[in-house]
Amino acid sequence: NELYDIISLWIMHTYVYCIFRYVPYIWLNAEAGSGKSTVLDVIVQYSFNGLSNVGSTPPVIFRSIENNGSTLAIDEFENMVGEDKNSILTILKVGFKSGAIVSRCSEKNYEPNEFSAFSPKIFAGISGIDNVLLTRCIKINMKMAKDKSSISDFDLNTPEKKVETAKIKNDLYIFGLKYVDKINQLYNDNNLFSLEQDYTPREKDLWQPLMAIAKVVDSE
């Protein structure tokens, strides 16, 4: 399935994202009960320094991206309100580009502090999103299964899953260290891939990291 491939490549890109000029966000758009929260949990679990924005304040997010290069995941995007939403939207709108900075005033002396906003980000929700933000995204539409009788519960916290997760993450770290130079070389190749004539430069920017990683995966 192509969507599985895209999500797998996206997770892999979080381990080498620093070499890219732009990173693609993932926008999971689906009705309630379609499994988007479960998908989000899996992606957070396997991504580089995954951070789920459940109760996280904007200052925590600022510092997590600045200090850890965290992959930020936001569920129920449409439920964010008020000043926290505005602060997080600021990070999202600029943070797809290498070198992006946001400034916040210190609570103690009101001196401006600069924080890096550049990191991979994924969010999920039922309703639509800001048009500017949409241009930073690869949109994935999810649908609710008609027959749920064959769907089993998915639990990442069983002992077996924890062992499996640790092994996969270890392999992802090794992948990043081993292939970062090759990915970077492919990423900067103007002949890496071609799109239909009506593509926008932004679309090419967003797909380029995943295509470079796909080339490496295919060659191996």
Side-chain angles (χ1 to χ4, degrees), residues 125-152:
I126 298 171
S127 59
I129 59 173
D130 181 281
N131 285 335
V132 173
L133 194 53
L134 188 59
T135 64
R136 281 94 163 118
C137 297
I138 293 173
K139 183 181 179 183
I140 296 177
N141 292 312
M142 296 179 60
K143 295 182 179 180
M144 187 185 301
K146 294 181 179 179
D147 179 12
K148 297 185 178 181
S149 61
S150 61
I151 300 176
S152 58

Short mmCIF file of all heavy atoms in Angstrom, two decimals, residues 125-152:
data_model
loop_
_atom_site.label_atom_id
_atom_site.label_comp_id
_atom_site.label_asym_id
_atom_site.label_seq_id
_atom_site.Cartn_x
_atom_site.Cartn_y
_atom_site.Cartn_z
N GLY A 125 -6.83 15.38 12.49
CA GLY A 125 -8.06 16.03 12.87
C GLY A 125 -9.19 15.69 11.92
O GLY A 125 -9.00 15.06 10.88
N ILE A 126 -10.37 16.13 12.31
CA ILE A 126 -11.58 15.85 11.53
C ILE A 126 -11.84 16.93 10.49
O ILE A 126 -12.16 16.65 9.35
CB ILE A 126 -12.80 15.72 12.48
CG1 ILE A 126 -12.59 14.56 13.45
CG2 ILE A 126 -14.08 15.53 11.69
CD1 ILE A 126 -13.64 14.50 14.55
N SER A 127 -11.71 18.19 10.91
CA SER A 127 -12.03 19.30 10.02
C SER A 127 -10.82 19.72 9.19
O SER A 127 -9.72 19.17 9.34
CB SER A 127 -12.55 20.48 10.84
OG SER A 127 -11.58 20.89 11.78
N GLY A 128 -11.01 20.72 8.34
CA GLY A 128 -9.94 21.22 7.50
C GLY A 128 -8.94 22.05 8.28
O GLY A 128 -9.12 22.31 9.48
N ILE A 129 -7.89 22.48 7.60
CA ILE A 129 -6.85 23.27 8.24
C ILE A 129 -6.58 24.53 7.43
O ILE A 129 -7.04 24.68 6.30
CB ILE A 129 -5.54 22.48 8.41
CG1 ILE A 129 -5.00 22.02 7.05
CG2 ILE A 129 -5.72 21.32 9.36
CD1 ILE A 129 -3.63 21.38 7.13
N ASP A 130 -5.84 25.43 8.02
CA ASP A 130 -5.43 26.68 7.41
C ASP A 130 -4.77 26.41 6.06
O ASP A 130 -3.95 25.50 5.92
CB ASP A 130 -4.45 27.37 8.36
CG ASP A 130 -3.96 28.69 7.84
OD1 ASP A 130 -3.07 28.67 6.98
OD2 ASP A 130 -4.45 29.73 8.31
N ASN A 131 -5.13 27.19 5.03
CA ASN A 131 -4.59 26.98 3.68
C ASN A 131 -3.07 27.12 3.63
O ASN A 131 -2.40 26.41 2.87
CB ASN A 131 -5.24 27.95 2.69
CG ASN A 131 -6.66 27.57 2.35
OD1 ASN A 131 -7.03 26.40 2.45
ND2 ASN A 131 -7.46 28.54 1.97
N VAL A 132 -2.53 28.05 4.41
CA VAL A 132 -1.07 28.22 4.43
C VAL A 132 -0.42 26.96 4.99
O VAL A 132 0.56 26.46 4.44
CB VAL A 132 -0.68 29.45 5.28
CG1 VAL A 132 0.83 29.53 5.44
CG2 VAL A 132 -1.21 30.73 4.64
N LEU A 133 -0.98 26.43 6.06
CA LEU A 133 -0.44 25.22 6.66
C LEU A 133 -0.57 24.02 5.72
O LEU A 133 0.31 23.16 5.66
CB LEU A 133 -1.16 24.94 7.98
CG LEU A 133 -0.54 23.93 8.93
CD1 LEU A 133 0.91 24.26 9.23
CD2 LEU A 133 -1.35 23.84 10.21
N LEU A 134 -1.66 23.99 4.97
CA LEU A 134 -1.88 22.88 4.05
C LEU A 134 -0.78 22.78 3.00
O LEU A 134 -0.44 21.69 2.55
CB LEU A 134 -3.25 23.04 3.38
CG LEU A 134 -3.73 21.87 2.52
CD1 LEU A 134 -3.84 20.59 3.34
CD2 LEU A 134 -5.09 22.21 1.90
N THR A 135 -0.21 23.91 2.60
CA THR A 135 0.86 23.89 1.60
C THR A 135 2.14 23.28 2.14
O THR A 135 3.07 23.02 1.37
CB THR A 135 1.17 25.32 1.10
OG1 THR A 135 1.70 26.12 2.17
CG2 THR A 135 -0.06 25.98 0.52
N ARG A 136 2.23 23.07 3.44
CA ARG A 136 3.40 22.43 4.04
C ARG A 136 3.20 20.92 4.25
O ARG A 136 4.05 20.24 4.79
CB ARG A 136 3.71 23.03 5.42
CG ARG A 136 4.44 24.37 5.37
CD ARG A 136 3.46 25.52 5.44
NE ARG A 136 4.14 26.77 5.79
CZ ARG A 136 4.17 27.84 5.02
NH1 ARG A 136 3.60 27.82 3.82
NH2 ARG A 136 4.77 28.94 5.43
N CYS A 137 2.05 20.41 3.81
CA CYS A 137 1.63 19.06 4.20
C CYS A 137 1.51 18.07 3.04
O CYS A 137 1.16 18.44 1.93
CB CYS A 137 0.26 19.11 4.89
SG CYS A 137 0.22 20.05 6.40
N ILE A 138 1.75 16.82 3.39
CA ILE A 138 1.28 15.69 2.59
C ILE A 138 0.00 15.22 3.29
O ILE A 138 0.04 14.77 4.43
CB ILE A 138 2.31 14.56 2.53
CG1 ILE A 138 3.54 15.02 1.75
CG2 ILE A 138 1.71 13.32 1.89
CD1 ILE A 138 4.69 14.03 1.79
N LYS A 139 -1.12 15.37 2.61
CA LYS A 139 -2.41 15.05 3.23
C LYS A 139 -2.76 13.59 3.00
O LYS A 139 -2.68 13.09 1.88
CB LYS A 139 -3.51 15.94 2.66
CG LYS A 139 -4.88 15.72 3.29
CD LYS A 139 -5.92 16.63 2.65
CE LYS A 139 -7.29 16.40 3.26
NZ LYS A 139 -8.34 17.23 2.60
N ILE A 140 -3.13 12.91 4.08
CA ILE A 140 -3.55 11.52 4.00
C ILE A 140 -4.98 11.42 4.52
O ILE A 140 -5.26 11.73 5.68
CB ILE A 140 -2.61 10.60 4.82
CG1 ILE A 140 -1.21 10.62 4.22
CG2 ILE A 140 -3.17 9.18 4.87
CD1 ILE A 140 -0.20 9.80 5.00
N ASN A 141 -5.89 11.01 3.64
CA ASN A 141 -7.28 10.82 4.04
C ASN A 141 -7.49 9.39 4.53
O ASN A 141 -7.18 8.43 3.82
CB ASN A 141 -8.22 11.10 2.86
CG ASN A 141 -8.22 12.55 2.46
OD1 ASN A 141 -8.35 13.44 3.28
ND2 ASN A 141 -8.07 12.81 1.17
N MET A 142 -8.00 9.26 5.74
CA MET A 142 -8.28 7.94 6.30
C MET A 142 -9.79 7.71 6.31
O MET A 142 -10.56 8.64 6.48
CB MET A 142 -7.70 7.82 7.71
CG MET A 142 -6.19 7.92 7.77
SD MET A 142 -5.56 7.82 9.47
CE MET A 142 -6.18 6.20 9.97
N LYS A 143 -10.18 6.45 6.16
CA LYS A 143 -11.60 6.11 6.16
C LYS A 143 -11.87 5.05 7.23
O LYS A 143 -11.03 4.20 7.50
CB LYS A 143 -12.03 5.60 4.79
CG LYS A 143 -11.94 6.65 3.68
CD LYS A 143 -12.43 6.09 2.36
CE LYS A 143 -12.37 7.16 1.27
NZ LYS A 143 -12.85 6.63 -0.04
N MET A 144 -13.05 5.11 7.79
CA MET A 144 -13.44 4.13 8.79
C MET A 144 -13.74 2.79 8.11
O MET A 144 -14.37 2.74 7.05
CB MET A 144 -14.70 4.61 9.53
CG MET A 144 -15.09 3.72 10.71
SD MET A 144 -16.66 4.25 11.46
CE MET A 144 -16.25 5.93 11.93
N ALA A 145 -13.24 1.73 8.72
CA ALA A 145 -13.49 0.40 8.18
C ALA A 145 -14.97 0.05 8.30
O ALA A 145 -15.59 0.30 9.33
CB ALA A 145 -12.65 -0.64 8.92
N LYS A 146 -15.53 -0.51 7.24
CA LYS A 146 -16.94 -0.88 7.26
C LYS A 146 -17.18 -2.10 8.14
O LYS A 146 -18.18 -2.20 8.84
CB LYS A 146 -17.43 -1.17 5.83
CG LYS A 146 -17.43 0.07 4.94
CD LYS A 146 -17.94 -0.26 3.54
CE LYS A 146 -17.96 0.99 2.67
NZ LYS A 146 -18.43 0.69 1.29
N ASP A 147 -16.24 -3.04 8.10
CA ASP A 147 -16.36 -4.25 8.92
C ASP A 147 -15.21 -4.27 9.92
O ASP A 147 -14.05 -4.45 9.55
CB ASP A 147 -16.31 -5.50 8.03
CG ASP A 147 -16.40 -6.79 8.84
OD1 ASP A 147 -16.73 -6.70 10.04
OD2 ASP A 147 -16.14 -7.85 8.27
N LYS A 148 -15.51 -4.06 11.19
CA LYS A 148 -14.48 -3.99 12.22
C LYS A 148 -14.28 -5.32 12.95
O LYS A 148 -13.49 -5.40 13.89
CB LYS A 148 -14.83 -2.90 13.24
CG LYS A 148 -14.86 -1.51 12.64
CD LYS A 148 -15.09 -0.45 13.71
CE LYS A 148 -15.06 0.94 13.10
NZ LYS A 148 -15.25 1.99 14.12
N SER A 149 -14.99 -6.34 12.53
CA SER A 149 -14.93 -7.62 13.24
C SER A 149 -13.55 -8.27 13.17
O SER A 149 -13.17 -9.03 14.06
CB SER A 149 -15.97 -8.59 12.66
OG SER A 149 -15.72 -8.84 11.28
N SER A 150 -12.79 -7.96 12.09
CA SER A 150 -11.48 -8.59 11.93
C SER A 150 -10.35 -7.71 12.47
O SER A 150 -9.18 -8.08 12.37
CB SER A 150 -11.23 -8.90 10.45
OG SER A 150 -11.24 -7.69 9.70
N ILE A 151 -10.69 -6.55 13.04
CA ILE A 151 -9.67 -5.63 13.54
C ILE A 151 -9.42 -5.91 15.01
O ILE A 151 -10.33 -5.87 15.84
CB ILE A 151 -10.12 -4.16 13.36
CG1 ILE A 151 -10.36 -3.87 11.88
CG2 ILE A 151 -9.07 -3.21 13.94
CD1 ILE A 151 -10.89 -2.47 11.62
N SER A 152 -8.18 -6.20 15.35
CA SER A 152 -7.82 -6.47 16.74
C SER A 152 -7.25 -5.22 17.39
O SER A 152 -6.77 -4.32 16.72
CB SER A 152 -6.79 -7.61 16.81
OG SER A 152 -5.63 -7.28 16.07
#
